[in-house]
């Protein structure tokens, strides 16, 4: 799989200057903003545990305006267990939409070849078509907004898997609060599920412990047979790529900048998106373990 295909991934930010810093700074925080997204009531539906989605509308909103005066919001509609509609846009303090801002469209399109009228719809349509964040490609010229959408789309899908219609609130741009943040998949795929712990000290990622465990509690990095088979096939194994990903996150201090490990593209992409979700949790100071009811295809 090419790095372009973000199975669960986030690639490098396309940086530019002036008005557009391409979408690169679309998610920066204007910490002076006091506007809070309204919280919807949680739907009283029993959560499923098999990773399938419950019908309903699921929403997410950023709390803070970026340095250009925009903040993102997204939603998905699920019918018959499928995503039938996805929406992603930015709004300013007046409620105007970035997708309808002709000046922004022209300036960005002249500079990077795409504008919000194109890339926002392209990302939303890709999610409906693929039915997963893993099927969404990075849009050239809108790398940061693509990365952000993939992260948010994954969180919306997780909400649909939990049957939780409470609006997800993202404290974008805020400093991470010290603490230990955890994410765990609940279902096993090929005998393993992801467990991910990240510790923040003095506002920085101090430790990253991403791994897979089986039903006996054995870590994938300790599975000699898995190591041998994967390394023979792809040139790397969990003993190499898992520590490399953890180290990269601590070194780079940014999920988006974590290096892809050759031969472990899917795991690298998955690592980045889960790391971004943990970063969001740290921005909110929410140390509750994130339980991911991941869908497992027949093996």
């Amino acid at each position: 799989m090419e790095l372009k295909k973000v199975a669960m991934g986030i690639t490098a930010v396309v940086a530019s200057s002036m008005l557009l810093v391409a979408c690169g700074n679309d998610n920066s925080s204007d910490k002076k903003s006091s506007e809070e997204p309204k919280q919807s009531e949680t739907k009283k539906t029993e959560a499923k545990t098999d990773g399938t989605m419950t019908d309903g509308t699921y929403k997410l909103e950023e709390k803070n305006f970026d340095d250009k005066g925009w903040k993102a919001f997204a939603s998905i509609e699920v019918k018959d267990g499928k995503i039938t509609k996805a929406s992603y846009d930015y709004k300013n303090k007046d409620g105007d939409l970035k997708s309808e801002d002709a000046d922004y469209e022209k300036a960005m399109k002249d500079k990077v070849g795409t504008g919000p009228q194109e890339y926002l719809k392209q990302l939303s349509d890709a999610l409906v078509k693929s039915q997963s964040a893993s099927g969404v490609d990075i849009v050239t010229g809108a790398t940061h907004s693509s990365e952000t959408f993939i992260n948010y789309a994954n969180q919306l899908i997780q909400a649909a898997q939990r049957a939780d219609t409470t609006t997800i609130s993202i404290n974008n741009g805020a400093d991470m609060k010290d603490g230990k943040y955890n994410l765990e998949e609940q279902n096993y795929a090929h005998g393993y599920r992801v467990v991910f712990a990240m510790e923040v000290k003095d506002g920085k990622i101090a430790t990253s412990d991403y791994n897979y465990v089986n039903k006996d509690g054995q870590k994938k990095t300790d599975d000699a047979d898995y190591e041998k088979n994967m390394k023979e096939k792809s040139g790397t194994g969990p003993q190499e790529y898992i520590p490399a990903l953890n180290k990269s996150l601590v070194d780079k201090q940014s999920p988006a900048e974590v290096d892809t490990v050759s031969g472990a593209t899917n795991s690298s992409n998955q690592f980045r998106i889960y790391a971004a979700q943990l970063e969001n949790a740290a921005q909110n100071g929410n140390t509750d373990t994130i339980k991911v009811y991941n869908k497992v295809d027949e093996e």
Side-chain angles (χ1 to χ4, degrees), residues 255-275:
E257 296 179 14
V258 169
D259 298 319
T260 295
V261 179
S262 178
T265 301
N266 288 350
S267 291
S268 299
N269 292 332
Q270 179 188 60
F271 177 88
R272 279 191 291 265
I273 197 168
Y274 280 165

Side-chain angles (χ1 to χ4, degrees), residues 148-160:
T148 299
F149 177 76
I150 291 163
N151 172 19
Y152 292 171
N154 196 59
Q155 293 192 46
L156 287 167
I157 289 170
Q158 288 177 16

Side-chain angles (χ1 to χ4, degrees), residues 5-211:
K5 189 75 171 175
V6 182
M8 298 189 91
I10 305 195
T11 56
V13 174
V14 173
S16 48
S17 57
M18 304 176 65
L19 169 68
L20 299 170
V21 184
C23 313
N25 287 330
D26 279 347
N27 282 38
S28 299
S29 170
D30 176 357
K31 296 179 183 177
K32 295 182 180 179
S33 171
S34 60
E35 183 173 333
E36 301 283 341
K38 295 180 179 179
Q39 300 294 311
S40 63
E41 293 184 0
T42 303
K43 185 176 181 180
K44 304 300 182 182
T45 302
E46 184 177 354
K48 299 179 180 180
T49 60
D50 62 355
T52 56
M53 293 181 287
T54 296
D55 292 1
T57 300
Y58 302 89
K59 299 179 180 181
L60 176 152
E61 288 194 13
E62 293 181 341
K63 293 171 65 175
N64 308 310
F65 294 98
D66 64 23
D67 57 1
K68 298 299 184 293
W70 300 98
K71 66 177 180 178
F73 62 98
S75 67
I76 61 172
E77 292 183 13
V78 177
K79 292 182 179 179
D80 299 325
K82 302 290 185 183
I83 300 171
T84 57
K85 182 179 180 181
S87 177
Y88 176 48
D89 212 328
Y90 295 79
K91 61 185 175 184
N92 61 21
K93 293 179 181 179
D94 296 324
D96 299 324
L97 300 179
K98 185 180 283 187
S99 61
E100 298 177 355
D101 188 322
D103 291 336
Y104 196 105
E105 170 73 17
K106 182 179 185 305
M108 181 176 178
K109 198 166 185 178
D110 287 347
K111 190 173 186 66
V112 298
T114 191
Q117 290 180 14
E118 291 79 33
Y119 77 78
L120 291 170
K121 184 177 186 303
Q122 186 174 341
L123 291 168
S124 297
D125 289 348
L127 180 61
V128 175
K129 182 178 180 180
S130 65
Q131 294 293 305
S132 69
S134 66
V136 178
D137 290 333
I138 294 294
V139 177
T140 301
T143 301
H144 193 275
S145 283
S146 299
E147 295 164 348
T148 299
F149 177 76
I150 291 163
N151 172 19
Y152 292 171
N154 196 59
Q155 293 192 46
L156 287 167
I157 289 170
Q158 288 177 16
Q161 290 168 333
R162 298 190 307 270
D164 184 356
T165 58
T166 304
T167 299
I168 300 168
S169 180
I170 303 293
N171 196 13
N172 54 304
D175 293 334
M176 291 183 293
K177 296 178 174 61
D178 289 1
K180 295 181 179 179
Y181 301 91
N182 296 276
L183 179 150
E184 293 188 3
E185 291 182 341
Q186 302 301 295
N187 300 319
Y188 295 89
H190 303 288
Y192 283 94
R193 64 184 178 92
V194 169
V195 291
F196 196 167
M198 184 181 81
E199 185 173 6
V200 176
K201 291 183 179 179
D202 299 324
K204 302 291 184 182
I205 299 171
T207 62
S208 174
D209 185 7
Y210 169 83
N211 214 317

